[in-house]
Amino acid sequence: MIILYHATTAVCAAKVRVVLAEKQIAFEGRLINLHKGEQFNPDYMKINPNAAVPALIHDGQVLIESTVINEYLDEAFADHPLRPISPFARAQMHLWTRKEDLIHDAINTMTASMVFRHELLEKSKEEQLARYSKIPDLAKREKWRRMMDEGLNSSITKEALGRFARHFAQMEQALGTSKWLVGDEFSLADAGLASFFYRLEMLEIAHLWEEHFPQVSRWYQAIKARPSFKAAILDYVSDEDHAKYKRISAPLSGEVKTLFAPIVAAM
Ligand SMILES: N[C@@H](CCC(=O)N[C@@H](CS)C(=O)NCC(=O)O)C(=O)O
């Protein structure tokens, strides 16, 4: 039996749901409401001491870290394999999956500076602090504080956009010669990025790749055409979430485009 601790829109949790859907593995979901701070509940932190989703329990064994969970699922469940067989191709796949944490950090930066910040600025100082002051990792906590204070003008935002530019350029190169990131079979490398791209789309900044990286655009359309995209990502995002992201992000989209242009031009 599989239990997944997740949150509806959290991209790392959606990353695991994509793999569960691709491999057609049934699971029991337990939602953790990150906005209410349920990730800091001591009982949950016994499961995931990082106070984050996802966490997965398989036959009583606890797993955390979405990249590790996805690799575990593919190893533990043989049907619908998502890792290439050849050692070289598998190494290429790992080169992609090991970068997911860095890209997730950049996704989190954009979400914090474009959406979370604007929601939190409407709340009291106490409520703002309550949202991030219990994050166990001090660097992450400090990043939240800076995003609240500095927003899109922060050097953290520029660093995140630089990461996207480099990642998209590497993807563009790989996708110039193959259908998916590693050869012509969909793998964990592709699965791990699906929810990240959707978050950027929800933030109204799909122009980051659409205006510069045609192969990446082609790849994302193919990702969206897979049944796992609907089952693991779209079905968990409410109309209310969509409306909220659009309302807050759309006015900031042009600003992000202006910040991104010189970064891409300098590559
Ligand atoms: N490297 C971890 C990152 C987990 C993570 O940061 N998850 C986010 C949601 S995508 C979270 O739960 N954040 C807690 C918070 O917002 O306080 C993974 O890939 O599992």
Side-chain angles (χ1 to χ4, degrees):
M1 150 137 169
I2 291 209
I3 298 170
L4 178 69
Y5 288 87
H6 61 147
T8 52
T9 55
V11 293
C12 298
K15 194 173 128 182
V16 172
R17 289 198 305 259
V18 167
V19 167
L20 289 165
E22 286 284 343
K23 295 183 69 66
Q24 296 174 25
I25 300 170
F27 67 96
E28 185 184 311
R30 306 236 171 117
L31 286 172
I32 300 292
N33 189 323
L34 301 179
H35 297 290
K36 288 192 181 153
E38 289 175 3
Q39 69 275 37
F40 304 118
N41 178 325
D43 282 340
Y44 181 67
M45 285 183 70
K46 282 186 199 140
I47 297 170
N48 190 339
N50 298 331
V53 289
L56 182 134
I57 305 188
H58 180 207
D59 292 340
Q61 301 182 104
V62 178
L63 292 123
I64 59 168
E65 288 297 330
S66 56
T67 306
V68 174
I69 295 173
N70 282 352
E71 182 102 20
Y72 170 84
L73 287 171
D74 202 50
E75 197 143 4
F77 296 85
D79 287 351
H80 311 287
L82 293 173
R83 289 170 304 158
I85 290 171
S86 102
F88 182 74
R90 197 167 278 201
Q92 300 305 303
M93 185 202 80
H94 282 128
L95 284 177
W96 288 109
T97 57
R98 77 193 293 273
K99 285 187 282 201
E100 284 168 10
D101 280 343
L102 276 179
I103 298 302
H104 168 251
D105 185 56
I107 297 278
N108 174 266
T109 295
M110 296 316 293
T111 314
S113 59
M114 294 181 76
V115 173
F116 298 158
R117 177 171 192 265
H118 292 264
E119 284 184 305
L120 281 180
L121 288 180
E122 286 166 13
K123 300 194 172 171
S124 69
K125 199 74 199 161
E126 289 71 40
E127 284 171 304
Q128 290 176 22
L129 279 174
R131 177 63 186 88
Y132 61 87
S133 62
K134 290 188 211 147
I135 294 175
D137 185 287
L138 292 183
K140 283 193 181 139
R141 203 187 292 177
E142 174 62 7
K143 190 182 99 168
W144 266 80
R145 191 199 59 75
R146 281 191 60 194
M147 296 318 302
M148 289 308 114
D149 289 350
E150 301 164 18
L152 282 177
N153 290 324
S154 175
S155 61
I156 304 179
T157 310
K158 291 189 192 82
E159 217 276 309
L161 292 173
R163 263 185 222 177
F164 290 139
R166 286 191 299 279
H167 202 70
F168 295 160
Q170 287 162 7
M171 290 178 71
E172 187 74 7
Q173 196 178 12
L175 294 165
T177 53
S178 60
K179 183 173 177 199
W180 298 105
L181 286 172
V182 183
D184 290 331
E185 298 296 333
F186 179 90
S187 74
L188 291 180
D190 307 287
L193 292 171
S195 64
F196 294 176
F197 271 70
Y198 188 62
R199 168 60 58 81
L200 296 176
E201 194 181 345
M202 276 181 80
L203 291 172
E204 301 279 322
I205 52 175
H207 54 69
L208 293 181
W209 66 86
E210 283 172 352
E211 294 184 0
H212 307 280
F213 303 101
Q215 294 296 341
V216 175
S217 302
R218 188 262 305 155
W219 168 89
Y220 184 50
Q221 289 311 315
I223 288 275
K224 288 173 88 171
R226 296 180 78 84
S228 63
F229 191 82
K230 181 177 181 309
I233 299 176
L234 288 186
D235 284 356
Y236 287 87
V237 184
S238 68
D239 291 346
E240 213 174 278
D241 292 325
H242 271 295
K244 182 183 82 180
Y245 270 69
K246 199 177 174 69
R247 176 173 50 79
I248 305 177
S249 317
L252 299 170
S253 172
E255 204 177 322
V256 175
K257 194 188 279 203
T258 307
L259 289 169
F260 194 58
I263 295 173
V264 179
M267 286 178 73

